[in-house]
Amino acid sequence: MSWRQSANSRLRKLTGFEIRRYRPPVPRPKAKPPAKPQHLPPTLHDFTKLSVLLHVTPAEFLEALGWPADEVARVAAEFAEVTESLEKRYAETETLFPSRWGVEQATGLTLYALARLLRPAVTVETGVADGRSSFILLSALERNGHGTLHSFDVPPDAGSLARGHARWNLTTSDAKDPRRTFTEALEGLDRIDLFLHDSDHSYQNQMFEYESAWPKIPVGGVLASDDVDLFKAYVDFAERLELSPQFLFDRRKILGAIRRA
Ligand SMILES: C[S@@+](CC[C@H](N)C(=O)[O-])C[C@H]1O[C@@H](n2cnc3c(N)ncnc32)[C@H](O)[C@@H]1O
């Protein structure tokens, strides 16, 4: 019998306990946080945990982004005229894309007002289709008398509503590798004052565009995205960078915007 066994048999009799060799606990490898699911739409909570209020009017959305109510009202009042010229443009233009792809009325007004309030030198939009959002943004640049809109789409016949505008630079992206075209074009821009995503809404493509554009956005500039309700890319991006987005609940879609602090 070893010394430990004989000592333990005595101890057990006397106290009911015995001596054991101390083995320090083996540290368990930390469980990896579960990967964020990319195929799910955001829940209402995903929006409210990032934003104090959910907005249903362009005015409250723009004021929450930091513009005074009187300035917002002044530029919003110009939008009736833009809507009228856009309708005329539709009447004289052959459109090719489904009309429901175009930005909705409150989103259109918001984009116009954003471009008027920011007075961007450089605006970038992805996803043109017939050019509804392009026409609206260009109307604001025209009124500003300043700035260029750089737009990206894949089909070469996109953008009929805005074709020929002096402040427009439309790039037809390589259908096989649109991200390469976009990346190369962005290398030629030293800043993006206003960015609008409205192209391929897959989680991966949204994240790619936000991550590409964000480093070029100066303080005060805006990263906007239509259809942020389809996947969680916009809310995940904002959460990861600890940004404060605002959300406009339009009739069928949700527009997100982050103003760089
Ligand atoms: C929702 S529509 C754009 C609507 C437009 N903003 C408007 O208000 O009329 C989406 C467009 O994105 C384009 N698109 C899809 N993938 C793209 C990509 N990777 N880069 C650029 N455009 C893309 C499609 O060809 C389509 O015309």
Side-chain angles (χ1 to χ4, degrees), residues 142-206:
E142 201 172 315
R143 190 116 185 190
N144 292 343
H146 168 72
T148 303
L149 170 65
H150 302 265
S151 302
F152 296 83
D153 206 313
V154 177
D157 47 5
S160 54
L161 294 168
R163 188 151 302 137
H165 198 287
R167 296 196 175 276
W168 202 29
N169 176 16
L170 170 64
T171 299
T172 299
S173 297
D174 179 351
K176 289 203 186 108
D177 195 358
R179 292 188 195 179
R180 185 181 54 76
T181 312
F182 183 68
T183 304
E184 285 173 6
L186 253 51
E187 279 166 15
L189 300 175
D190 57 357
R191 60 190 285 151
I192 301 173
D193 302 296
L194 173 58
F195 177 83
L196 172 66
H197 159 86
D198 195 16
S199 64
D200 163 10
H201 297 311
S202 66
Y203 185 103
Q204 292 81 357
N205 190 62
Q206 282 188 57

Side-chain angles (χ1 to χ4, degrees), residues 32-239:
K32 266 194 183 172
K36 297 232 182 213
Q38 301 190 346
H39 59 287
L40 297 175
T43 62
L44 199 52
H45 175 66
D46 288 314
F47 293 114
T48 54
K49 75 182 172 188
L50 293 169
S51 173
V52 184
L53 288 174
L54 303 173
H55 308 291
V56 291
T57 70
E60 63 190 29
F61 176 79
L62 292 160
E63 285 164 35
L65 286 169
W67 280 284
D70 57 339
E71 278 186 47
V72 170
R74 180 177 53 80
V75 296
E78 298 164 5
F79 194 63
E81 210 179 291
V82 176
T83 307
E84 204 179 302
S85 29
L86 181 55
E87 275 163 18
K88 271 195 205 139
R89 188 75 180 137
Y90 269 106
E92 66 194 23
T93 308
E94 191 194 350
T95 52
L96 304 167
F97 296 81
S99 61
R100 66 188 164 77
W101 283 10
V103 288
E104 292 193 78
Q105 187 68 3
T107 297
L109 192 162
T110 304
L111 294 176
Y112 176 82
L114 267 176
R116 287 285 287 132
L117 294 162
L118 261 176
R119 301 183 59 79
V122 180
T123 302
V124 170
E125 86 169 332
T126 61
V128 172
D130 284 318
R132 188 176 174 84
S133 51
S134 314
F135 183 98
I136 290 168
L137 289 166
L138 286 164
S139 303
L141 301 190
E142 201 172 315
R143 190 116 185 190
N144 292 343
H146 168 72
T148 303
L149 170 65
H150 302 265
S151 302
F152 296 83
D153 206 313
V154 177
D157 47 5
S160 54
L161 294 168
R163 188 151 302 137
H165 198 287
R167 296 196 175 276
W168 202 29
N169 176 16
L170 170 64
T171 299
T172 299
S173 297
D174 179 351
K176 289 203 186 108
D177 195 358
R179 292 188 195 179
R180 185 181 54 76
T181 312
F182 183 68
T183 304
E184 285 173 6
L186 253 51
E187 279 166 15
L189 300 175
D190 57 357
R191 60 190 285 151
I192 301 173
D193 302 296
L194 173 58
F195 177 83
L196 172 66
H197 159 86
D198 195 16
S199 64
D200 163 10
H201 297 311
S202 66
Y203 185 103
Q204 292 81 357
N205 190 62
Q206 282 188 57
M207 195 57 91
F208 158 76
E209 290 188 10
Y210 305 149
E211 285 173 349
S212 307
W214 184 250
K216 302 239 167 191
I217 296 183
V219 171
V222 170
L223 178 91
S225 180
D226 204 10
D227 301 273
V228 299
D229 47 306
L230 290 176
F231 296 103
K232 284 171 77 168
Y234 198 75
V235 293
D236 283 352
F237 177 78
E239 195 174 6

